[in-house]
Amino acid sequence: MTQVIYLGPAMATATLTISTGTIFSGSLPPPVAEKMESDNDFKALFIPPERVGKARIDIRRGNTFLGACYARVLAEYRNKGVK
């Protein structure tokens, strides 16, 4: 895996803790990798460094693919916690 930056909402549960802006290089921690396998919206919020500027704009706009992914991940976290 190349370097990616997580641009989703900050989350803290019994199984997963992650902050917005966390940089990953190499393999992902098992809880993060498991969540990525089961949630395509969560997976979409891991952005290569060269795309971070545009991705942040898209997330803020809200009416974009990444904006919708962010909103769904945040809603899931708020409503029932991270699976």
Side-chain angles (χ1 to χ4, degrees):
M1 166 187 249
T2 59
Q3 192 175 53
V4 292
I5 301 169
Y6 173 69
L7 295 182
M11 297 186 280
T13 69
T15 58
L16 175 66
T17 300
I18 190 167
S19 298
T20 305
T22 300
I23 300 169
F24 295 96
S25 186
S27 63
L28 296 169
V32 173
E34 290 169 15
K35 177 74 174 157
M36 284 178 80
E37 288 177 18
S38 66
D39 187 341
N40 286 329
D41 291 325
F42 181 75
K43 184 176 182 177
L45 297 171
F46 288 80
I47 310 297
E50 63 273 7
R51 291 186 42 228
V52 167
K54 169 113 172 55
R56 285 185 175 169
I57 291 168
D58 288 349
I59 290 168
R60 269 183 271 154
R61 282 189 182 147
N63 63 344
T64 63
F65 171 74
L66 286 178
C69 290
Y70 185 99
R72 286 189 294 264
V73 168
L74 181 59
E76 177 187 350
Y77 174 65
R78 286 183 174 167
N79 291 332
K80 56 187 165 182
V82 176
K83 292 183 179 177

